[in-house]
């Protein structure tokens, strides 16, 4: 299986990164897609990829929370980063009107610029959306036919949101949110609606430790080694075997990111 969204540059992984990666391999995770969320983090993600070749790959992009940092130099920086063969997608980019750490106008500008860059470079996009589905769809729609591939990661929206995404041929990334007995209940029904060839899995670690794990891990830090647990929860929700789910999503991820 492949973890398509892991924030491995987060400082919570600084001390024991080697161990985290060894544990992920032992758990059957065959590749990690490290998420770039700013110019600096994307650069760090690329540096990590060089230390673990053919196991780590990364994205290069500016997260909607960091959209206020998007300036006249950003595209040139991202273009340079993306010229490296470890960089497999543009992102994390998109819209997050849940917390508005950057203004909606800044977020929309940064998102559209990155969509244009992905079209120019013919790279897939790795996208984020919270509480902004309509604007997200509106901005993405003109670019979708020109993009090689596009995924909305960590999907947590409504059925209408999901249907709008699937109508644009998006891939959908599902995290351990589905294991959350408070917030993840709707997702258990919605994952059945995702066509098998569009589904991918991710931890979004160190965030979103699956809440239903028993015994509960001592640390609240999520890790890629917990991906099998998330895969099992998704397989259960879809009425599929773990093996079937793992094989299909791994194949989807390989085709999507060309790894
Ligand atoms: Zn995200």
């Amino acid at each position: 299986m492949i973890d398509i969204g892991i924030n491995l540059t987060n400082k919570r992984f600084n001390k024991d990164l080697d161990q985290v990666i060894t544990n992920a391999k032992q758990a059957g995770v065959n590749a990690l897609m490290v998420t770039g969320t700013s110019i600096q983090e994307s650069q760090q993600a690329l540096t990590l990829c060089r230390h673990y070749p053919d196991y780590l790959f990364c994205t290069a992009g500016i997260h909607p929370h960091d959209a206020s940092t998007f300036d006249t130099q950003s595209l040139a920086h991202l273009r340079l980063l993306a010229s490296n063969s470890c960089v497999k997608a543009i992102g994390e980019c998109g819209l997050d009107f849940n917390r508005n750490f950057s203004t909606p106008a800044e977020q929309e500008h940064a998102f559209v610029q990155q969509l244009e860059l992905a079209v120019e470079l013919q790279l897939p996009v790795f996208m984020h959306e919270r509480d902004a589905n309509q604007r997200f769809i509106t901005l993405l729609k003109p670019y979708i036919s020109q993009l090689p591939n596009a995924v909305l990661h960590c999907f947590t929206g409504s059925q209408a949101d999901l249907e709008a995404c699937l109508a644009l041929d998006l891939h959908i990334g599902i995290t351990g949110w589905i294991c959350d007995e408070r917030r993840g209940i709707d997702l258990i029904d919605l994952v059945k609606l995702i066509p098998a060839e569009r589904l991918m899995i991710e931890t979004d670690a160190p965030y979103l430790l699956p809440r239903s794990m028993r015994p509960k891990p001592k640390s609240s830090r999520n890790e890629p080694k917990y991906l099998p647990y998330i895969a099992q929860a998704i397989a259960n929700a879809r009425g599929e075997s773990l093996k079937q789910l793992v094989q299909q999503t791994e194949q989807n991820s390989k085709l999507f990111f060309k790894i």
Side-chain angles (χ1 to χ4, degrees):
M1 67 199 90
I2 294 175
D3 189 347
I4 69 152
I6 157 89
N7 302 282
L8 218 51
T9 60
N10 189 286
K11 59 180 185 300
R12 294 178 78 187
F13 290 120
N14 281 356
K15 276 187 190 152
D16 60 347
L17 187 60
D18 267 328
Q19 193 60 51
V20 167
I21 286 173
T22 301
N23 292 346
K25 286 179 180 169
Q26 277 172 2
V29 182
N30 295 326
L32 305 180
M33 189 63 57
V34 183
T35 308
T37 56
S38 65
I39 298 294
Q40 198 188 359
E41 300 274 331
S42 300
Q43 179 63 59
Q44 286 173 14
L46 182 54
T47 303
L48 286 184
C49 291
R50 294 203 174 108
H51 283 110
Y52 303 92
D54 300 324
Y55 189 69
L56 296 190
F57 303 91
C58 70
T59 69
I62 298 179
H63 191 282
H65 289 339
D66 293 285
S68 62
T69 68
F70 194 96
D71 61 23
T72 53
Q73 304 297 307
S74 298
L75 278 184
H77 281 137
L78 291 176
R79 200 177 278 119
L80 192 62
L81 287 166
S83 68
N84 193 291
S85 62
C86 304
V87 176
K88 297 299 184 185
I90 296 298
E92 176 172 4
C93 60
L95 303 177
D96 191 322
F97 296 168
N98 183 264
R99 289 192 274 183
N100 282 328
F101 289 148
S102 295
T103 67
E106 288 167 337
Q107 293 183 40
E108 293 196 2
H109 176 68
F111 182 34
V112 169
Q113 293 289 306
Q114 291 176 87
L115 289 173
E116 289 190 355
L117 182 66
V119 169
E120 174 197 318
L121 301 176
Q122 283 300 293
L123 282 169
V125 276
F126 182 87
M127 299 179 294
H128 170 109
E129 180 268 309
R130 282 288 291 283
D131 295 352
N133 192 264
Q134 283 193 354
R135 281 303 285 163
F136 173 78
I137 295 289
T138 302
L139 294 179
L140 177 59
K141 207 169 195 171
Y143 296 97
I144 201 71
S145 66
Q146 306 164 66
L147 287 163
N149 251 324
V151 59
L152 177 56
H153 103 105
C154 193
F155 180 83
T156 58
S158 66
Q159 181 166 344
D161 294 346
L162 181 62
E163 283 166 355
C165 290
L166 293 176
L168 286 191
D169 278 342
L170 300 192
H171 283 63
I172 306 292
I174 299 291
T175 61
W177 188 281
I178 196 169
C179 305
D180 187 323
E181 80 288 358
R182 308 159 305 173
R183 304 182 297 182
I185 302 299
D186 293 346
L187 204 50
I188 293 173
D189 288 326
L190 293 184
V191 288
K192 295 172 204 153
L193 306 177
I194 303 170
E197 66 282 1
R198 306 262 198 90
L199 176 64
M200 297 195 283
I201 59 176
E202 50 176 329
T203 59
D204 206 23
Y207 314 115
L208 300 180
L209 179 75
R211 282 178 56 90
S212 52
M213 288 180 79
R214 296 292 180 274
K216 257 191 177 136
K218 286 198 185 83
S219 165
S220 66
R221 182 182 76 172
N222 196 6
E223 293 190 34
K225 72 176 177 186
Y226 299 139
L227 190 62
Y229 189 84
I230 296 166
Q232 183 68 65
I234 300 169
N236 291 348
R238 288 170 66 85
E240 294 172 359
S241 70
L242 178 62
K243 190 177 168 205
Q244 188 183 5
L245 189 279
V246 162
Q247 276 178 352
Q248 177 76 56
T249 56
E250 176 156 336
Q251 190 193 0
N252 295 346
S253 304
K254 282 181 174 167
L255 287 170
F256 185 97
F257 293 106
K258 297 204 172 116
I259 56 175

